[in-house]
Amino acid sequence: MYKISEFAEITGLSKETLRYYAEVKLLEPAYIDPRNHYRYYDDGSFFLAILLGKLRRFGFTIQEMTSVMEDESFSHLEDLLMQKREKIQLQMEDLRQQTEEIDEFLKSGRDDSRND
């Protein structure tokens, strides 16, 4: 069993994130000591914590993460990851277009000032 601080260190999730995930029922401690309310996590929680960290890094919302965690077989995880990948690619294309527009706008401003 790992105390929350130890578990946070080995998973890369902050103690605050772990507390929040427990509050929203994403990742609950394996045991809470009734005397001091210390939270303890076990090895079985490790995989789930790493998965949640990855999903958060990939931009999954809490609702999407909950959907993944409720599907205990993780049978739809690949589909969700592919959808997220497609969304990220669309966002990257949009950002590329925005940077091109900014470059064009800056260039037009420079060209106009030279014509004065």
Side-chain angles (χ1 to χ4, degrees):
M1 295 284 250
Y2 305 95
K3 288 182 180 178
I4 192 170
S5 56
E6 297 166 326
F7 197 67
E9 190 173 318
I10 64 171
T11 61
L13 299 174
S14 69
K15 291 186 287 188
E16 293 77 18
T17 296
L18 290 169
R19 286 186 190 104
Y20 178 70
Y21 286 174
E23 184 180 314
V24 297
K25 309 281 190 241
L26 268 176
L27 179 65
E28 298 181 71
Y31 175 73
I32 299 176
D33 190 317
R35 293 170 292 148
N36 56 22
H37 303 287
Y38 285 6
R39 299 161 188 255
Y40 293 92
Y41 293 85
D42 59 12
D43 290 333
S45 303
F46 180 77
F47 167 76
L48 298 175
I50 296 301
L51 175 60
L52 288 171
K54 287 285 187 195
L55 295 177
R56 183 177 68 178
R57 171 80 177 98
F58 297 154
F60 277 64
T61 65
I62 292 295
Q63 292 80 12
E64 290 170 326
M65 290 165 49
T66 299
S67 173
V68 169
M69 299 305 277
E70 286 175 350
D71 178 14
E72 292 179 7
S73 68
F74 299 108
S75 61
H76 299 292
L77 181 56
E78 185 175 350
D79 292 338
L80 291 171
L81 288 170
M82 294 304 291
Q83 289 172 13
K84 185 59 73 173
R85 184 178 190 280
E86 190 174 313
K87 183 178 178 183
I88 290 169
Q89 286 180 316
L90 291 171
Q91 289 172 325
M92 287 172 30
E93 178 58 25
D94 187 49
L95 290 171
R96 187 192 61 73
Q97 288 177 356
Q98 287 179 42
T99 56
E100 284 180 8
E101 290 175 26
I102 288 171
D103 291 344
E104 289 173 21
F105 186 73
L106 289 170
K107 184 179 182 293
S108 71
R110 285 190 221 112
D111 290 345
D112 289 346
S113 65
R114 291 188 186 135
N115 291 334
D116 290 340

